[in-house]
Amino acid sequence: MAILVAGGAGYIGSHMVKDLVEHGQEVVVADNLSTGHRDAINPKAKFYEGDIRDRKFLDKIFDNEDIEAVVHFAAFSIVPESMSKPLKYFDNNTGGMITLLEAMRDHNIKYIVFSSTAATYGVPEHMPIKETDPQNPINPYGLSKLMMEKMMHWADKAYGIKFVALRYFNVAGAAPDGTIGEDHGPETHLVPIILQVAQGKRKELSIFGDDYNTPDGTNVRDYVHVMDLADAHILAIKYLEAGNESNAFNLGSSTGFSNKQMLEAAREVTGEPIPAKIAPRRPGDPDSLVAASDKARNVLGWDPKYDDVHDIIATAWKWHSTHPKGYDDRD
Ligand code: UDP
């Protein structure tokens, strides 16, 4: 039996595919390559190019392949873009989930592991954030993902499709062997942007706001390594296969780092000066987002290996410094 990874050519999806393949798992990838890269897909995975909103495309995969579970990464994930193009997010993210769940129902596929996000919590009432805390997103990206969680809840009740929603905090890093990494066009995420400045591809880092309610005034986020995240998905599949109930887990490190601290850590890792300036706030950013992640550790047995942001940044730096043009540099 195979695992279907929807969005397996994207940043997190491609690391998931690599992790599954290295665990000896048969993997099928579905991706429309709108933001993903063909070269990011592990060669041992079987690739179907197409869109999860296309029911015929999904039917073809479920008819041809013996799929046991779906891991769903096929979504847009850029908070500021979602503020200016909300309907794009509801169409692809929320709309895509409707088609995917309908196809799963009709093909009797019972398990889905879903990329949810800390952005579903909005402005948290206390820190660290627990899974039971209120979910009131303040941007369309977070809302699109919360709606997807709720759809899975009702699809479980009606059709018995069991789900695990993994609420990611800030994902960073790359496969330690340097073969795959993060390559978004345009890049918006903090760690790759800092490293692009270190490489001389950008003049300076703009830190978006230093008047937040945090110790140094810059936003605080909780960084988790992409391979640790992939491991959590494998544990979530096992959890569902063992017959457990649907559930949601935070994936973070329980430790927050400010944007200024991340910059300092990257200076230490790269040895580069990395010029930076303070710029206006970016719409949609809560002050702090830090996960309580003991539930994933206790229930799934998740044991993240990267507990130091320097190590996370070092794996990202390995990828960026050997692939200055991202996947365009391959071969
Ligand atoms: N950020 C920044 N400058 C940049 C990119 C991001 O100051 O060029 C900040 C952003 O405002 C947020 C943090 O870095 O406080 C993490 O943002 P990112 O886009 O990486 O992830 P998000 O938290 O939106 O998922």
Side-chain angles (χ1 to χ4, degrees), residues 172-174 176 225 265 269 305-317:
H225 194 277
V269 168
K305 293 175 188 60
Y306 293 85
D307 56 4
D308 181 336
V309 284
H310 293 83
D311 297 338
I312 296 179
I313 293 170
T315 61
W317 182 233

Side-chain angles (χ1 to χ4, degrees), residues 170 188-190 193 205-208 219 221 259 282 285:
N170 285 63
T188 63
H189 292 109
L190 182 67
I193 285 181
L205 169 72
S206 291
I207 297 179
F208 298 140
N219 284 151
R221 296 288 180 270
N259 294 340
R282 191 180 73 171
D285 274 334

Side-chain angles (χ1 to χ4, degrees), residues 18-190:
K18 179 177 166 64
D19 205 10
L20 283 167
V21 163
E22 285 171 2
H23 278 78
Q25 174 66 54
E26 200 184 322
V27 184
V28 175
V29 169
D31 201 300
N32 65 6
L33 299 180
S34 69
T35 55
H37 305 271
R38 192 179 293 273
D39 285 340
I41 303 168
N42 191 286
K44 294 212 171 103
K46 188 160 175 187
F47 177 45
Y48 286 81
E49 185 175 346
D51 196 302
I52 56 154
R53 287 166 294 182
D54 175 354
R55 178 60 198 264
K56 289 202 177 79
F57 170 68
L58 290 179
D59 284 342
K60 188 171 77 184
I61 297 173
F62 290 134
D63 284 337
N64 288 355
E65 308 293 339
D66 193 10
I67 303 293
E68 180 183 14
V70 177
V71 187
H72 180 21
F73 299 95
F76 295 134
S77 62
I78 298 171
V79 169
E81 185 191 44
S82 81
M83 298 290 278
S84 57
K85 297 179 183 159
L87 299 179
K88 175 175 172 180
Y89 278 66
F90 296 126
D91 174 20
N92 188 47
N93 296 6
T94 318
M97 183 62 111
I98 297 173
T99 315
L100 180 59
L101 288 173
E102 282 173 345
M104 287 178 67
R105 175 197 61 199
D106 295 346
H107 292 268
N108 203 27
I109 311 247
K110 292 291 182 203
Y111 307 132
I112 177 166
V113 177
F114 169 61
S115 321
S116 189
T117 169
T120 60
Y121 293 111
V123 180
E125 282 166 12
H126 50 81
M127 213 63 68
I129 304 168
K130 291 202 191 71
E131 288 84 353
T132 46
D133 285 349
Q135 290 176 289
N136 295 308
I138 60 165
N139 52 61
Y141 165 61
L143 180 56
S144 73
K145 291 268 172 159
L146 180 59
M147 290 159 80
M148 295 160 86
E149 281 197 14
K150 293 198 183 296
M151 278 180 198
M152 291 189 300
H153 169 80
W154 292 108
D156 177 6
K157 294 235 173 297
Y159 318 124
I161 298 173
K162 298 288 170 206
F163 71 92
V164 167
L166 296 173
R167 297 182 189 144
Y168 311 158
F169 283 63
N170 285 63
V171 187
D177 64 9
T179 53
I180 54 174
E182 191 166 6
D183 178 6
H184 297 113
E187 189 54 74
T188 63
H189 292 109
L190 182 67

